[in-house]
């Protein structure tokens, strides 16, 4: 069997890697490079991206490709160094040989070496990534919202809107970070939104909101010229957020629908006048690349205090002490909980309830330990606000 080499991608391999991604995710004929998947040419110009490939040593042919964007992700009010995985593709002739599994392990190791403690991804298959140590972290439900419903939202006449410029990036990053600090799962601001257009809302000369908007064809029978897609939207306060939804996203009369992720328990959900229709519904996954650092780096509820000793399958025993929102981790101890790496990631994200995990046989632990885990990982549902 030919030997496979795992390494960083070279500039001359970008087109071949792009063709692999296109063949894996596009309806176009295999072999053509398409706009689907990651923009590797853009990524190579930015140090925050890692592009890894699996190459046939004999022929030099790229057999598989994967890209991660390095940055941060917000958990419990604290920013944890993170990687976002995308563009994973394996050539059809190389499947079933463990090439994809080896590349993911190599990519995760490279991300960990670069400082990432967790990795987020939107999977094409749960089973494959679960074997790599990733667990389900939450849902990404995109709804079709009538533009007339958004027009009924409160209006702030002190707001003005304009297209975003590169000079707005730092302020927008502050808004995204503030949003992340009060939620879970939010990634650092990324100025690259593809073909979407970016806008800001200003009040008295200060940027108080930002959104990235695109368009897609209308669904049969729903009318209009197009549907607005909201890739991301943040406001400094409710009035600014309402203003973006009402005055920019609700593009009447050309668009009768807005397709947007509605965060459970969020501002928009509470103010929609009627039930909306889901047009996309998927899960996303989280992996703990550096378990001790990820546990120590996450935020925990204020006032929560306690100790849980975790026996993480194939990763040793770790003692997690939490006091007043801060966790510290040491090696060793007498285990009070036994859990696998993928299920620990789901617990970390708050998606998997510890009591439910114990009932399902995914976790072993006594009532006290399960209760502490419930307290430690409590919080708002984790949501990836924008795909990557």
């Amino acid at each position: 069997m030919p030997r496979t080499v795992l390494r960083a991608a070279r500039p001359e391999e970008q087109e071949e890697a792009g063709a692999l991604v296109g063949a894996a995710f596009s309806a176009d004929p295999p072999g053509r490079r398409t706009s689907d998947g990651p923009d590797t040419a853009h990524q190579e110009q930015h140090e925050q991206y890692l592009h890894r490939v699996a190459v046939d040593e004999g022929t030099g042919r790229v057999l598989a490709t994967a890209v991660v964007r390095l940055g941060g992700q917000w958990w419990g009010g604290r920013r944890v160094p993170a990687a976002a995985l995308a563009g994973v593709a394996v050539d059809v002739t190389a499947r079933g040989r463990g090439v994809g599994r080896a590349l993911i392990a190599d990519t995760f190791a490279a991300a960990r070496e670069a400082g990432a403690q967790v990795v987020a991804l939107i999977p094409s298959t749960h089973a494959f990534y679960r074997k790599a140590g990733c667990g389900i972290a939450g849902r990404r439900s995109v709804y079709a919202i009538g533009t007339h419903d958004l027009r009924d939202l409160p209006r702030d006449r002190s707001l003005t809107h304009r297209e975003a410029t590169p000079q707005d990036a730092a302020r927008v990053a502050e808004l995204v970070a503030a949003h992340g600090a009060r939620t879970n799962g939010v990634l650092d601001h990324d100025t690259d939104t593809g073909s979407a257009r970016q806008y800001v809302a200003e009040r008295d000369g200060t940027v108080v909101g930002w959104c990235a908007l695109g368009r897609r064809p209308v669904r049969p029978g729903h009318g209009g010229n197009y549907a607005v897609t909201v890739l991301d939207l943040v406001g400094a306060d409710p009035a600014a957020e309402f203003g973006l939804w009402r005055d920019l996203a609700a593009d009447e009369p050309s668009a009768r629908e807005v397709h947007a992720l509605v965060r459970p328990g969020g501002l928009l959900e509470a103010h929609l006048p009627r039930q909306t229709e889901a047009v996309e519904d998927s899960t996303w996954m989280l992996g703990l690349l550096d378990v001790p650092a990820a546990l120590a780096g996450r935020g925990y509820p204020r006032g929560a205090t306690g100790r849980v000793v975790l026996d993480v399958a194939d990763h040793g025993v770790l003692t997690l002490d939490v006091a007043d929102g801060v966790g510290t981790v040491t090696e060793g101890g007498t285990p009070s909980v036994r859990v696998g790496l993928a299920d620990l990631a789901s617990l970390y994200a708050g998606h998997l309830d510890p009591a439910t995990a114990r009932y399902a046989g995914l976790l072993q632990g006594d009532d006290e330990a399960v209760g502490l885990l419930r307290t430690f990982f409590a919080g708002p549902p984790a949501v990836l606000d924008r795909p990557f």
Side-chain angles (χ1 to χ4, degrees), residues 37-71:
D39 181 355
T40 51
H42 167 81
Q43 292 161 356
E44 288 302 304
Q45 299 172 12
H46 295 76
E47 293 183 357
Q48 69 266 30
Y49 286 96
L50 300 177
H51 186 188
R52 307 293 294 184
V53 290
V55 178
D56 185 304
E57 185 181 42
T59 64
R61 187 165 64 95
V62 175
L63 301 177
T65 177
V67 175
V68 293
R69 178 170 69 88
L70 301 174

Side-chain angles (χ1 to χ4, degrees), residues 164-315:
T165 69
Q167 288 70 39
D168 296 316
R171 173 57 181 161
V172 172
E174 291 178 2
L175 294 175
V176 172
H179 171 57
R182 61 180 180 267
T183 55
N184 277 325
V186 173
L187 293 168
D188 284 347
H189 174 55
D190 183 8
T191 58
D192 178 25
T193 57
S195 59
R197 301 185 72 172
Q198 301 183 44
Y199 300 90
V200 295
E202 288 184 315
R203 183 187 295 125
D204 298 326
T206 299
V207 173
V208 294
W210 169 83
C211 63
L213 306 177
R215 295 179 181 180
R216 63 173 50 161
V218 296
R219 296 182 296 154
H222 287 79
N225 299 329
Y226 54 82
V228 173
T229 56
V230 179
L231 276 78
D232 208 348
L233 187 151
V234 292
D237 50 56
E241 187 172 331
F242 282 142
L244 291 170
W245 285 111
R246 186 189 188 285
D247 297 327
L248 291 182
D251 196 5
E252 290 183 315
S254 296
R256 297 184 184 178
E257 286 186 344
V258 174
H259 295 181
L261 187 149
V262 179
R263 179 177 286 274
L267 184 67
L268 183 62
E269 181 187 63
H271 287 79
L272 288 175
R274 71 195 79 235
Q275 182 68 42
T276 52
E277 179 183 358
V279 293
E280 297 176 27
D281 190 23
S282 62
T283 55
W284 67 279
M285 301 183 81
L286 183 77
L288 306 184
L289 300 178
D290 185 332
V291 179
L295 289 171
R298 189 193 197 281
Y300 297 92
R302 292 288 180 182
T305 300
R307 168 179 290 181
V308 175
V309 184
L310 301 163
D311 183 356
V312 186
D314 300 323
H315 285 75

Side-chain angles (χ1 to χ4, degrees), residues 75-76 78 295-305 321-327:
W75 291 104
R78 295 180 69 184
L295 289 171
R298 189 193 197 281
Y300 297 92
R302 292 288 180 182
T305 300
D321 287 291
V322 173
D324 198 26
V326 178

Side-chain angles (χ1 to χ4, degrees), residues 144-164:
I145 306 165
T147 50
H148 57 283
D149 289 335
L150 294 177
R151 284 295 187 188
D152 289 335
L153 293 174
R155 186 172 195 176
D156 183 350
R157 295 187 180 278
S158 69
L159 294 176
T160 59
H161 305 292
R162 61 171 173 79
E163 287 203 56

